Amino acid sequence: MKTSARPPAVAGMFYPSDPAELRAAVRGFLDDSAGEGPRPVALIAPHAGYVYSGPVAGSAYALIKPVADTFDRVALLGPCHRVPVRGLAATSAPAFATPLGDVAVDGEAVTDLLELPQVSIFDETHEDEHSLEVHLPFLQEILGEFRLIPLVVGDATVDEVAEVIERLWSDPATLVV
């Protein structure tokens, strides 16, 4: 088990590393979006650098602004780009750091998911992975404090991923991204 937060890997490249600049960018993307519609239980948002994906990510995250107080946990699933993994990789890190602060990992939920054969702890795939990290500032801005279940999805079947999501959806306070 790691004792320190997973540091940001792409701050300053995919999004601003300065907290004030980052907060202003995220707020700008969110403010440019309507954020109207039914309460989502899941979001699909892009994970590229903000110069490319910020407006679209902002339009997705704006949907949870009106109901932000109903979520206290986020299951964040993103594709593997650098270090291959079989199945879905969780982390032993207690938190993920961004320029806006640390986001606590829901260790209890991770432990529960480890009962599934397709989920394992594989910190190496998280170290330089951007697909999860770029979402965190949006979530921090909208939700404030929340618990995170970070999962890098590698070589996994649709059924394996669906089984993980179904287990997480048993809690209506969990947003799946």
Side-chain angles (χ1 to χ4, degrees):
M1 175 82 152
K2 287 187 168 192
T3 57
S4 61
R6 179 241 187 227
V10 295
M13 293 183 296
F14 278 56
Y15 61 88
S17 58
D18 176 74
E21 187 181 341
L22 175 56
R23 192 173 303 282
V26 169
R27 285 180 180 168
F29 295 134
L30 292 169
D31 290 345
D32 287 344
S33 302
E36 298 174 3
R39 179 189 184 274
V41 294
L43 292 178
I44 298 174
H47 61 265
Y50 285 8
V51 67
Y52 305 108
S53 68
V56 175
S59 68
Y61 283 107
L63 296 172
I64 63 171
K65 279 172 59 173
V67 294
D69 62 340
T70 65
F71 297 110
D72 65 12
R73 187 170 79 164
V74 176
L76 189 52
L77 290 81
C80 178
H81 289 89
R82 298 186 186 273
V83 178
V85 62
R86 167 68 195 112
L88 292 87
T91 181
S92 66
F96 271 48
T98 79
L100 302 181
D102 289 357
V103 178
V105 170
D106 185 340
E108 186 177 316
V110 168
T111 299
D112 180 55
L113 290 175
L114 291 173
E115 295 175 1
L116 299 173
Q118 68 270 35
V119 180
S120 62
I121 298 289
F122 188 46
D123 291 318
E124 291 79 8
T125 199
H126 283 272
E127 287 176 7
D128 293 323
E129 184 56 58
H130 68 275
S131 70
L132 305 181
E133 180 180 331
V134 297
H135 293 280
L136 295 177
F138 284 97
L139 292 163
Q140 288 173 294
E141 182 63 26
I142 294 172
L143 300 179
E145 285 193 36
F146 61 96
R147 296 169 293 142
L148 177 66
I149 305 163
L151 298 167
V152 174
V153 181
D155 183 16
T157 68
V158 171
D159 289 339
E160 289 173 328
V161 175
E163 185 178 17
V164 169
I165 292 172
E166 286 174 15
R167 188 173 282 208
L168 296 168
W169 260 337
S170 64
D171 178 359
T174 298
L175 174 68
V176 176
V177 179

